[in-house]
Amino acid sequence: MATLNDVAQRANVSKMTVSRTINHPEQVRPELRSAISQVMRDLNYQPNAAARALVSRCTRVIKLTIFEDMDTTEPYYMMLLAGIANELNRHQYALQLATRNSYEVGECDGYILTGIRDEDYAWVKQLQQPVVFFGRNLKGYDYVDTDNYQAIRDSTMYALHRGYTRLIFIGIAADKPFELDREQGFRELMAEKHLPAEVVRLANHGHVATKYIDEHWATMTPNTAFICASDRLAIGIEDGILLHGGRVPEDFGVIGFDGMLLNQVASKRLTTMKQPLEAMGQAAAKLLLTKINQPQPEQTKVIVKSKLSIAESTR
Amino acid sequence: MATLNDVAQRANVSKMTVSRTINHPEQVRPELRSAISQVMRDLNYQPNAAARALVSRCTRVIKLTIFEDMDTTEPYYMMLLAGIANELNRHQYALQLATRNSYEVGECDGYILTGIRDEDYAWVKQLQQPVVFFGRNLKGYDYVDTDNYQAIRDSTMYALHRGYTRLIFIGIAADKPFELDREQGFRELMAEKHLPAEVVRLANHGHVATKYIDEHWATMTPNTAFICASDRLAIGIEDGILLHGGRVPEDFGVIGFDGMLLNQVASKRLTTMKQPLEAMGQAAAKLLLTKINQPQPEQTKVIVKSKLSIAESTR
DNA sequence: CTGTTAGCGCCTTCAC
DNA sequence: GTGAAGGCGCTAACAG
């Protein structure tokens, strides 16, 4: 691998002039600059990242630490990764992936954290570098999230507008902030409309939702819409309805949440509240880079809007 | 951040002795060694990776470069990531994620490559560091893959054993090696059994498969099993059958391929050929680390066995 | 504008 | 066993 010195010798200048053509080109005479650039190309010169990191005290590495077990991880993380990776790339930062088991390996200039549990905050607290969370947190750290509350309000409102008169919220049986926000969005809108808020909480699996419909089919009345907290649940609900001969979307509407890949497997294309995960990844990366360059004193919250993607499971 | 020097001063020894307690502990007197270890702990000393990389010429970073567009990427990459990340972690290597757009950012000791197209091989060829492919390649590079051919043979054999007499292979409409291998596995086994090989190729979406069933329902006869090249297709096929009142698994069997998350959304739990993605990730990482430590002259192929996960969509 | 000096934190080599 | 010197590749600070 060619070094700064190799380039300097070939171009008959000192190392510093070469270094400057890279980092402060305006300080170098144009002729020299282009000559040096040519030599760099000839030698396929790539600056040594380690040497740079050593002297500049910054690694140009951002770590994404996923605290959840990856095997329970929603597939949509891939889109998040894509958003983060692309934004970092634009600024010549590398993305490093860490898990609960590997968070200490290697150095970085900043962290994006997701899936964190209470017991992990001690570790977060002692980090020297800036931190951005993916998903809301209540400890005062910066974060990027969707407005889960508003998203469910929008879904619910849409269902009402389409003329469904009975609404059932199918939530995820977990005490996570995102789930509570979604539930609250549903309850409050229903209260405002003076309608009863029927809320069910299920494990986040399609067949659990199907079973729920199965067991409660007798009580199901046409003109009902199911506002679901995930696409998996929505697909399970839809399957259950169809198996009992119910008509979707004429008599029963189904609205999902997430909108990544799973809705491609539904027999009807699912109406779903689409989380802009790639945009969220990008936003997280952007926020972190900003913080690295100019530390912000107070908490920054970036809320990205979800958008209803209307398809065949609602009329 | 504490440096080697800080530790040395506090322990009243030279930097070298500290360095040795880390890298060659057997060369340091036990008393000294434990005293120094204590100081390192007190100061929370972490060796500076950049400085180390600079002098040792190795970064302890492995890059996973995903050449596919991430937004078309199967969710199962997450499991692959998990397998790679955990294995690397055990050896104190960091995993860096790169895409088609960011493959030049930062240095590393080796590459794991996936989703590569013909035009990318020029870039691969000029890499200085060892390379392992995820997925078969015909250019002589080391790789880790499942035996797609054998996996489909096994699926097909299983369907026959369960007494389904007519088999239809639902393939993915793409000229990828993995798809061709799967198709071939089906064709050859059927030929051996003197049965007609019905092969259909569809875009890899559930609703496309459902539509296929819809349009061909008249020609479908009981005692048919569908050997599908993906879980998405399998779920779509199953949906189609159920919508037409067909009985799964009594009259129609459905076998998928991949077995990651998608099968959790099916109304019946899907029988599927489960790719051990985490194990494959681990194998890729292991192979790469081996190559880094002792370069191998000839091509190494690691074939990981897929295993049929039997559930409710076959009798 | 360009070159010289010095040092980032660590490890290899060679003395002691 | 342990320490002192030197250098990995790069850049900030100062000189010219």
Side-chain angles (χ1 to χ4, degrees):
Chain A
M1 216 46 183
T3 76
L4 209 53
N5 232 329
D6 301 336
V7 178
Q9 289 186 359
R10 270 259 230 154
N12 281 318
V13 292
S14 76
K15 293 193 298 184
M16 270 322 295
T17 312
V18 181
S19 174
R20 271 192 276 259
T21 62
I22 298 170
N23 301 305
H24 310 284
E26 73 285 356
Q27 298 178 11
V28 179
R29 219 169 354 117
E31 311 96 87
L32 250 190
R33 204 193 307 163
S34 62
I36 292 173
S37 304
Q38 187 53 52
V39 175
M40 293 201 294
R41 255 172 277 125
D42 292 348
L43 265 47
N44 188 27
Y45 170 72
Q46 298 281 103
N48 180 311
R52 248 186 197 174
L54 183 58
V55 56
S56 68
R57 271 104 205 308
C58 70
T59 59
R60 297 200 87 82
V61 168
I62 298 299
K63 267 203 209 180
L64 171 65
T65 307
I66 298 179
F67 277 87
E68 282 172 271
D69 294 334
M70 285 235 199
D71 48 351
T72 64
T73 278
E74 291 288 337
Y76 66 56
Y77 267 125
M78 284 311 292
M79 290 305 292
L80 185 65
L81 284 180
I84 296 173
N86 288 335
E87 181 64 20
L88 290 183
N89 162 242
R90 293 182 41 219
H91 301 275
Q92 299 285 308
Y93 273 77
L95 171 59
Q96 201 158 303
L97 196 68
T99 64
R100 172 182 298 290
N101 310 313
S102 62
Y103 55 76
E104 354 69 342
V105 180
E107 273 137 38
C108 66
D109 294 347
Y111 293 86
I112 300 176
L113 268 28
T114 180
I116 211 156
R117 299 178 215 163
D118 282 343
E119 67 253 39
D120 302 317
Y121 279 103
W123 174 75
V124 177
K125 208 172 167 192
Q126 54 82 45
L127 293 176
Q128 311 287 317
Q129 294 84 357
V131 170
V132 167
F133 278 68
F134 179 74
R136 203 176 111 192
N137 76 86
L138 305 169
K139 308 259 180 176
Y141 293 102
D142 293 5
Y143 66 82
V144 174
D145 204 350
T146 46
D147 189 344
N148 284 292
Y149 171 84
Q150 186 61 45
I152 287 292
R153 279 184 71 102
D154 291 352
S155 290
T156 308
M157 188 72 92
Y158 180 78
L160 291 173
H161 277 157
R162 304 309 294 169
Y164 297 103
T165 49
R166 180 182 173 195
L167 299 195
I168 303 180
F169 179 80
I170 308 290
I172 297 172
D175 268 336
K176 303 268 183 159
F178 72 83
E179 170 60 21
L180 301 176
D181 289 348
R182 291 177 196 178
E183 237 175 87
Q184 198 191 348
F186 179 75
R187 286 187 197 280
E188 291 193 6
L189 185 68
M190 294 302 274
E192 289 166 23
K193 300 288 179 191
H194 306 294
L195 290 169
E198 295 186 59
V199 172
V200 177
R201 294 169 140 225
L202 304 175
N204 191 20
H205 291 290
H207 62 267
V208 174
T210 305
K211 189 160 156 260
Y212 165 79
I213 292 291
D214 218 43
E215 290 169 357
H216 296 79
W217 185 246
T219 71
M220 293 300 160
T221 46
N223 237 19
T224 296
F226 296 85
I227 313 298
C228 307
S230 80
D231 282 347
R232 292 187 190 185
L233 289 172
I235 291 171
I237 293 287
E238 193 197 59
D239 280 350
I241 296 168
L242 295 174
L243 284 174
H244 282 278
R247 295 186 307 165
V248 176
E250 296 84 348
D251 296 330
F252 296 94
V254 181
I255 300 182
F257 205 109
D258 280 351
M260 292 321 306
L261 295 145
L262 294 180
N263 63 344
Q264 295 176 15
V265 303
S267 46
K268 307 252 171 176
R269 283 176 36 250
L270 195 66
T271 295
T272 191
M273 184 54 73
K274 199 162 189 162
Q275 292 197 64
L277 278 164
E278 194 163 2
M280 291 169 76
Q282 196 178 322
K286 242 179 204 154
L287 175 55
L288 184 56
L289 294 181
T290 308
K291 286 187 65 177
I292 287 171
N293 293 322
Q294 36 187 322
Q296 313 279 318
E298 74 266 14
Q299 186 183 19
T300 310
K301 308 173 186 183
V302 177
I303 306 296
V304 182
K305 265 228 175 89
S306 292
K307 201 164 152 283
L308 195 65
S309 155
I310 294 163
E312 301 168 281
S313 69
T314 49
R315 66 190 172 208
Chain B
M1 216 50 189
T3 77
L4 211 53
N5 232 331
D6 301 337
V7 178
Q9 289 186 0
R10 270 260 230 153
N12 282 318
V13 293
S14 75
K15 294 193 296 182
M16 271 322 300
T17 310
V18 181
S19 174
R20 272 194 274 258
T21 61
I22 298 171
N23 301 304
H24 310 284
E26 73 285 358
Q27 298 178 12
V28 179
R29 223 174 344 123
E31 313 96 87
L32 251 190
R33 205 192 307 162
S34 62
I36 292 173
S37 304
Q38 187 53 52
V39 175
M40 293 201 293
R41 254 173 277 125
D42 291 349
L43 264 47
N44 187 26
Y45 169 73
Q46 297 281 102
N48 179 310
R52 237 181 208 181
L54 184 56
V55 57
S56 67
R57 271 103 207 306
C58 70
T59 59
R60 297 199 87 81
V61 169
I62 299 299
K63 270 202 207 181
L64 170 66
T65 308
I66 299 179
F67 277 87
E68 283 172 90
D69 294 333
M70 285 235 201
D71 47 354
T72 65
T73 277
E74 291 288 340
Y76 67 56
Y77 268 126
M78 285 310 294
M79 289 307 291
L80 185 64
L81 286 180
I84 296 173
N86 288 336
E87 180 65 19
L88 290 183
N89 162 241
R90 293 182 39 216
H91 301 274
Q92 299 286 308
Y93 273 77
L95 170 61
Q96 204 157 298
L97 196 68
T99 65
R100 173 181 296 292
N101 310 313
S102 61
Y103 54 76
E104 354 67 345
V105 180
E107 274 138 36
C108 66
D109 294 346
Y111 293 87
I112 300 176
L113 267 28
T114 179
I116 212 155
R117 298 177 214 164
D118 283 341
E119 67 254 40
D120 301 317
Y121 279 102
W123 173 75
V124 178
K125 207 172 167 190
Q126 53 82 47
L127 293 177
Q128 312 286 318
Q129 295 85 357
V131 169
V132 168
F133 279 67
F134 179 74
R136 202 177 112 192
N137 76 88
L138 305 170
K139 307 259 179 177
Y141 294 102
D142 294 3
Y143 65 81
V144 174
D145 205 349
T146 46
D147 189 344
N148 285 291
Y149 171 85
Q150 187 60 46
I152 286 293
R153 279 184 70 101
D154 291 350
S155 290
T156 308
M157 188 71 92
Y158 180 77
L160 290 173
H161 277 158
R162 303 309 294 168
Y164 297 103
T165 50
R166 179 183 175 195
L167 300 194
I168 304 180
F169 179 80
I170 307 289
I172 297 171
D175 269 336
K176 303 270 184 158
F178 71 82
E179 170 59 21
L180 301 176
D181 289 348
R182 291 177 196 178
E183 236 175 88
Q184 200 191 345
F186 179 74
R187 286 187 198 280
E188 291 192 6
L189 185 68
M190 294 302 273
E192 289 168 22
K193 300 287 178 191
H194 306 294
L195 290 169
E198 295 185 60
V199 172
V200 176
R201 296 170 140 223
L202 303 176
N204 191 19
H205 291 291
H207 62 268
V208 174
T210 305
K211 190 161 154 260
Y212 165 79
I213 292 292
D214 218 43
E215 290 170 355
H216 296 80
W217 185 246
T219 70
M220 294 300 160
T221 46
N223 237 20
T224 297
F226 296 86
I227 314 297
C228 306
S230 79
D231 283 346
R232 291 188 191 186
L233 290 172
I235 290 171
I237 293 287
E238 191 197 60
D239 280 349
I241 295 168
L242 295 175
L243 284 173
H244 282 278
R247 295 186 307 166
V248 176
E250 296 83 349
D251 296 332
F252 297 94
V254 182
I255 300 182
F257 204 109
D258 282 351
M260 292 321 306
L261 296 144
L262 293 179
N263 63 343
Q264 296 177 12
V265 304
S267 47
K268 307 254 172 175
R269 281 176 37 249
L270 195 66
T271 295
T272 192
M273 183 54 73
K274 199 162 189 161
Q275 293 198 63
L277 279 163
E278 194 162 4
M280 292 170 76
Q282 194 178 324
K286 240 178 205 156
L287 175 55
L288 184 56
L289 294 180
T290 308
K291 287 188 65 177
I292 287 171
N293 294 323
Q294 35 188 324
Q296 313 280 320
E298 73 266 12
Q299 185 182 18
T300 310
K301 308 173 186 182
V302 177
I303 306 297
V304 182
K305 267 229 173 90
S306 292
K307 197 160 156 288
L308 195 64
S309 155
I310 294 162
E312 300 168 283
S313 69
T314 48
R315 67 190 171 207

